[in-house]
């Protein structure tokens, strides 16, 4: 873990920006689904609330988090990324992204949203769970 | 006086580079490094004396038994126990506390009885009592805490009453560094006929401990926090109490006479040591005690006190940057453990940044979740020192914290 990868991680203005100014943090008009997850080792917590439109796609989304910069940035980025998806598409996404992060085999996501910068966290294996807490919260949607 | 350079030379791992930097190891409250003599002692056992103990007339078995029992003697005199029979080998402090709870607690705690703890207990000295209280319908009470992280004893006489059957307290807090007035607490417990259990996991590695002087009924600690191997710990108990206790584990080694119907127990300490013990690690823990005594526990304590004073001064300079240091602010009341919080930087992010500079600190709740919550934070960063750490490493830590603050502040280095 050289200083350069550390620089990638924290000096990456995209991560710090999401951490300081989380997207989608305002209350939404109705809540059709919600899901949360807690990391028992550190107490970090993430909550998603979302509403669906007539085509059963995410219309509004709210994200709330408590934790480290990686956890917060990941929650914020993912909340942007999944807007407009159906619940089925969300679960396809979490499965794919989780696999990417855990196996380091492929990077399925590119410039379509900010989440591609989260791949930098793979250089810090103990912090991958911080990225994936948001996926766990989405897997708990009900 | 101690020679730090010489001490550091005894620890092979201290010459490791971490992320291109010299290792600054400040996670000693979690576990400590091992001097070469302890590592060699493990190798020597397996290469030259390996055998089971108490079971054979052949030479190796006798050698192993002698070394194993000699280690028990070393531990015994290290904490000034009346007899080495009072020293029971366990895996760690947690197992020792569980044995007290399952064995003594099961027999002696009943409905309505009270167990008194401090609010700064490690989960290991909290959950075994919670479980016992739940099973028996007993009640757990907690001492109060002053703002500075010391115990508030002003209401102690309301808390220790005729209902109190057991008082169990941490000697030195792993989360705040607080050194507790254990002799006074022990006396209070005995006044109402309660037993006094002392969790020495963070005290016995750093200061001289005399169980007879303190008067505690039980004393527990872990080898790995005092330069010994993992997987070996100690339960000290007063003989008259151990005599009355039943074993928690049964099987080989712990019996006197066995028929197909029943068994009678071996003498203490064997009664509590079912099965083949952790022979090599016990012996190596004895070697760790030799190493510590060679430096001298008073010397270790004095040196660490000077580190504490220096680090307290240094942390003071960080106050203007918003850094909060938890726990007592005087080296008389505090071991070299520094739990702190920086606004807008989560401890895990700080931990990762410091690791990039070769500095190992612990981040999280330090197995004291209720305490950390009561401080108003979900986690802290903790730097904990040992006798092989230097004043320069205090500076490195403080510089590291400062540059992390700049990192998160405006992104500059
Ligand atoms: C004060 C205190 N008590 C008990 C323990 C438990 O020690 P172990 O995990 O070795 O059983 C620790 C270790 O973190 C501790 O710091």
């Amino acid at each position: 873990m050289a200083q350069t990868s550390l620089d990638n991680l924290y000096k990456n203005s995209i991560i710090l920006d999401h951490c300081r100014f989380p997207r989608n943090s305002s209350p939404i008009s109705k809540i059709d689904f919600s899901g949360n997850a807690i990391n028992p080792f550190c107490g970090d917590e993430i909550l998603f609330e979302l509403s669906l439109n007539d085509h059963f796609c995410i219309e509004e989304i709210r994200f709330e988090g408590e934790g480290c910069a990686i956890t917060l940035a990941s929650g914020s980025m993912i909340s942007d990324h999944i807007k407009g998806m159906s619940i089925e598409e969300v679960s396809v996404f979490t499965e794919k992204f989780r696999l990417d992060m855990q196996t380091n085999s492929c990077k399925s996501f590119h410039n379509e949203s900010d989440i591609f910068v989260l791949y930098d966290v793979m250089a810090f294996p103990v912090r991958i769970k911080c990225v994936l807490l948001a996926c766990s919260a989405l897997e708990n949607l009900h | 006086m101690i020679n730090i350079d010489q001490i550091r030379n005894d620890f092979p791992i201290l010459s490791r580079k971490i992320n291109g930097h010299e290792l600054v190891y400040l996670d000693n409250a979690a576990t400590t490094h091992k001097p070469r003599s302890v590592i060699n002692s493990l190798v020597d056992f397996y290469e030259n004396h390996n055998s089971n103990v108490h079971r054979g007339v052949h030479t190796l078995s006798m050698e192993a038994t002698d070394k194993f029992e000699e280690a028990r003697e070393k531990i015994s005199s290290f904490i000034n126990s009346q007899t080495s029979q009072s020293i029971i080998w366990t895996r760690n402090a947690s197992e020792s506390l569980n044995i007290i709870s399952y064995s003594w607690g099961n027999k002696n705690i009943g409905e309505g009885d009270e167990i008194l703890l401090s609010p700064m207990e490690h989960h290991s000295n909290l959950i075994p009592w919670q479980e016992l209280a739940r099973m028996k319908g007993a009640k757990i009470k907690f001492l109060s805490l002053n703002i500075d992280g010391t115990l508030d004893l002003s209401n102690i006489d309301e808390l220790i009453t005729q209902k109190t059957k057991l008082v169990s307290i941490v000697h030195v807090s792993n989360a705040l560094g607080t050194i507790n007035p254990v002799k006074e607490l022990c006396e209070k417990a005995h006044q109402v006929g309660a037993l006094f259990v002392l969790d020495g996991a963070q005290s016995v590695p750093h200061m001289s401990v005399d169980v007879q002087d303190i008067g505690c009924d039980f004393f527990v600690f872990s080898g790995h926090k005092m330069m010994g191997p993992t997987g070996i710990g100690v339960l000290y108990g007063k003989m008259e109490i151990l005599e009355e206790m039943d074993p928690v584990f049964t099987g080989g080694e712990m019996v006197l006479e066995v028929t197909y119907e029943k068994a009678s127990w071996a003498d203490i300490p064997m009664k509590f040591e079912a099965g083949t013990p952790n022979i090599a690690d016990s012996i190596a823990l004895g070697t760790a005690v030799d190493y510590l005594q060679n430096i001298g526990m008073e010397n270790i304590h004095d040196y660490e006190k000077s580190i504490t004073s220096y680090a307290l001064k240094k942390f003071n300079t960080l106050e203007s940057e918003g850094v909060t240091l938890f726990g007592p602010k005087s080296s008389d009341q505090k071991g070299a453990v520094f739990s702190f919080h920086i606004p807008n930087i989560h401890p895990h992010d700080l931990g990762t940044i410091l690791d990039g500079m070769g500095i190992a600190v612990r981040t999280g709740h330090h197995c004291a979740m209720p305490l950390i919550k009561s401080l108003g934070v979900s986690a802290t960063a903790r730097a904990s020192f040992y006798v092989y750490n230097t004043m320069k490493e205090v500076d490195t830590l403080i510089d590291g914290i400062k540059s992390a603050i700049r990192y998160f502040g405006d992104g500059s280095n």
Side-chain angles (χ1 to χ4, degrees), chain A residues 1-3 6-7 9-11 16 19-20 40-44 66-71 124 126-127 129-130, chain B residues 19 21 344 346 348-357 363-365 369 378-379 407-413:
Chain A
M1 229 185 290
Q3 195 65 32
L6 243 193
D7 286 353
L9 193 60
Y10 289 110
K11 287 191 151 181
L16 281 187
C19 163
R20 288 196 187 117
F41 294 105
C42 57
D44 282 8
E66 166 76 48
C68 66
I70 313 292
T71 298
F124 302 83
V126 292
R127 305 300 298 279
K129 65 179 181 350
C130 311
Chain B
N19 298 318
H21 297 267
N344 303 322
H346 192 279
H348 290 330
D349 297 317
L350 178 71
T352 298
I353 292 174
L354 292 179
D355 184 59
M357 306 172 187
T363 59
H365 49 63
M369 248 192 238
S378 60
Y407 232 86
F408 269 80
D410 54 18
S412 72
N413 241 327

Side-chain angles (χ1 to χ4, degrees), chain B residues 86 88 237-245 268 271-272:
Chain B
S86 278
I88 296 159
K238 280 187 183 158
M239 282 302 279
E240 61 270 27
I241 299 170
L242 294 175
E243 303 272 12
E244 295 300 315
M245 280 164 56
I268 298 161
K271 178 169 94 175
F272 295 100

Side-chain angles (χ1 to χ4, degrees), chain B residues 72 75 79 81 83-101 103-104 129 197-198 211 217-223 232-238 241-242 245-246 248 268-269 272-273 285:
Chain B
R72 201 191 300 273
I75 300 289
I79 60 170
S81 159
T83 155
S84 67
Q85 278 185 278
S86 278
I87 305 299
I88 296 159
W89 297 118
T90 64
R91 282 187 304 135
N92 47 40
S94 304
E95 183 172 290
S96 304
L97 288 161
N98 275 279
I99 290 173
I100 304 170
S101 171
S103 175
W104 187 88
W129 309 121
V197 180
L198 188 54
V211 290
D217 299 289
F218 293 105
F219 187 74
V220 306
F221 56 98
S222 291
I232 188 74
V234 171
L235 166 60
Y236 156 86
K238 280 187 183 158
I241 299 170
L242 294 175
M245 280 164 56
D246 295 324
V248 176
I268 298 161
F272 295 100
E273 295 178 357
L285 181 55

